[in-house]
Amino acid sequence: MKVSKLLVALFAGALSLAAYAQQPIVIKFSHVVAADTPKGKAAEMFAKKAGELTKGKVKVEVYANSTLYKDKEEMEALQLGAVQMLAPSLAKFGPLGVKEFEVFDLPFIFSDYDALRKVTNGPVGKQLLAKLEPKGIRGLAYWDNGFKSFSANSPIRTPADLKGKKMRIQSSKVLEEQMRSVGSIPQVMAFSEVYQALQTGVVDGTENPISNLYTQKMHEVQKHLTLTDHGYLGYAVIVNKKFWDGLPADVRGQLDEAMVQATRYANQIAKVENDNSLEAVKKSGKTTVYAPTKEERLAFKKAMLPVHQKMEGRVGKEVIQAVYKDTGFKPDSL
Ligand code: LMR
């Protein structure tokens, strides 16, 4: 080879190496809900902030609506490093073996967002995230969705109205027990399959915050929605630990800051998003929305409360008591 040719080849090689060195670090962020939900919007906000704060060194690709993975698969994908970031609902950590997380699924354990925040922002929240480390997972933040309501094709006014109904739940032993406590039949199913299951009658009803119900169009196939607010559904934002620890320290610091900002945003918009979805459901005229009286909600609480004690052996008495203490939990009132 002539010297000039060799020089050209060397120069081209150096150029492509330089281009390679400038390739952004890609973070795949997979989730199962629609883009216009509290989680979907917060994920986009994180992507934006991450790009800005790292000056383009990191590119976060958000995959909404189970486009990459369904519920169960996404956790495996994270552990294998096929995706780097997720925000699974807190119910998803029980099946992973970190059963203490199921404390969040206990019916009526949080009276409102403030009570919840005392746990997620306090030592209990921190200790729970630390339990993910041996699974190769680092927990970065808690993001809110909101409080769940029951829907079905017949009115739900009393716990007895749920009797015998096949109710879709996430894979959670606590949620199974919650449904059994009112005589319904729990059906574990991936989120992406719920709409069709409701439409075809494979299940009779479900529970979710209104933002999830509305953005999946479940209200189009559910005639009745009762605002029971009987349980909380929120998320932990998690990353593959090996990937995260392997990032350059300055980049990781910038991403931590992006996460702080996205978390603030997530927890600001969650209630508003759910309120807006409720208005949209009402406006659609497809579902009759019922707001139970205080007495009616108390009846649900009374029926479901034995679940706390029943699940003590699985979830852990200590963590339940710690949550009671943080929130000032009252068994007899709302
Ligand atoms: C569900 O499966 O109902 C939820 O976990 C979906 C979600 O991520 O909000």
Side-chain angles (χ1 to χ4, degrees):
M1 196 187 286
K2 273 198 206 149
V3 174
S4 61
K5 260 194 180 167
L6 187 69
L7 279 176
V8 168
L10 274 175
F11 184 63
L15 267 185
S16 62
L17 254 183
Y20 180 74
Q22 279 169 18
Q23 289 284 312
I25 300 165
V26 173
I27 294 182
K28 287 189 178 160
F29 187 156
S30 169
H31 69 83
V32 301
V33 295
D36 55 344
T37 52
K39 173 162 65 176
K41 288 188 174 181
E44 292 296 347
M45 177 59 81
F46 174 71
K48 181 170 174 276
K49 294 288 170 194
E52 285 169 13
L53 289 165
T54 65
K55 301 202 170 35
K57 277 192 213 145
V58 171
K59 184 171 173 0
V60 179
E61 295 173 354
V62 180
Y63 298 89
N65 252 331
S66 311
T67 40
L68 277 190
Y69 298 103
K70 288 189 198 175
D71 300 20
K72 232 163 112 189
E73 301 156 0
E74 65 173 17
M75 200 69 93
E76 283 162 20
L78 183 90
Q79 288 179 299
L80 292 169
V83 292
Q84 290 71 36
M85 187 174 275
L86 305 172
S89 75
L90 299 167
K92 304 273 159 50
F93 298 105
L96 191 72
V98 193
K99 298 174 191 135
E100 295 91 333
F101 268 94
E102 288 180 353
V103 73
F104 289 104
D105 295 342
L106 288 169
F108 290 97
I109 194 159
F110 304 108
S111 49
D112 52 27
Y113 284 102
D114 285 345
L116 178 268
R117 198 85 64 225
K118 289 198 177 111
V119 175
T120 50
N121 287 347
V124 175
K126 227 186 211 151
Q127 283 155 17
L128 287 174
L129 291 183
K131 286 184 190 291
L132 300 173
E133 299 265 326
K135 308 274 175 198
I137 293 172
R138 163 95 20 103
L140 298 182
Y142 288 98
W143 285 359
D144 279 336
N145 188 337
F147 291 84
K148 294 178 287 184
S149 284
F150 286 121
S151 65
N153 278 326
S154 50
I156 306 160
R157 299 283 164 92
T158 68
D161 293 332
L162 289 168
K163 197 160 178 211
K165 290 210 182 317
K166 282 183 269 166
M167 298 295 286
R168 180 270 170 177
I169 53 164
Q170 306 180 73
S171 174
S172 155
K173 294 293 170 204
V174 168
L175 297 179
E176 268 177 36
E177 207 50 54
Q178 170 204 275
M179 290 306 189
R180 288 209 185 93
S181 72
V182 288
S184 64
I185 306 149
Q187 304 277 307
V188 172
M189 188 178 288
F191 185 67
S192 57
E193 286 159 13
V194 182
Y195 174 86
Q196 212 185 355
L198 291 169
Q199 190 185 36
T200 56
V202 168
V203 292
D204 302 310
T206 188
E207 57 164 13
N208 238 306
I210 317 297
S211 59
N212 275 352
L213 175 107
Y214 177 66
T215 54
Q216 296 298 322
K217 299 189 170 39
M218 292 180 202
H219 64 292
E220 293 183 0
V221 287
Q222 292 280 266
K223 292 199 177 74
H224 294 272
L225 172 69
T226 300
L227 307 176
T228 40
D229 285 344
H230 60 275
Y232 173 76
L233 189 146
Y235 311 104
V237 188
I238 56 173
V239 283
N240 177 294
K241 180 169 146 44
K242 208 166 151 200
F243 165 79
W244 197 250
D245 290 344
L247 288 170
D250 59 334
V251 170
R252 202 171 44 242
Q254 289 151 355
L255 292 178
D256 280 335
E257 176 53 29
M259 186 53 68
V260 168
Q261 295 186 22
T263 299
R264 197 176 304 134
Y265 171 75
N267 296 344
Q268 259 166 16
I269 65 164
K271 184 171 184 311
V272 180
E273 290 290 320
N274 277 298
D275 289 349
N276 291 345
S277 289
L278 178 59
E279 283 318 304
V281 169
K282 284 181 182 166
K283 227 167 149 187
S284 78
K286 295 192 192 284
T287 308
T288 307
V289 178
Y290 181 69
T293 63
K294 202 172 168 194
E295 287 68 31
E296 284 169 328
R297 273 195 77 224
L298 258 174
F300 279 98
K301 181 168 177 177
K302 214 170 157 194
M304 293 178 164
L305 209 57
V307 175
H308 290 211
Q309 209 177 1
K310 226 169 179 173
M311 295 313 282
E312 235 173 47
R314 180 178 166 90
V315 179
K317 196 172 175 169
E318 260 179 41
V319 70
I320 298 176
Q321 292 299 329
V323 169
Y324 283 177
K325 196 160 168 260
D326 280 353
T327 61
F329 176 77
K330 292 191 198 81
D332 300 325
S333 58
L334 289 170

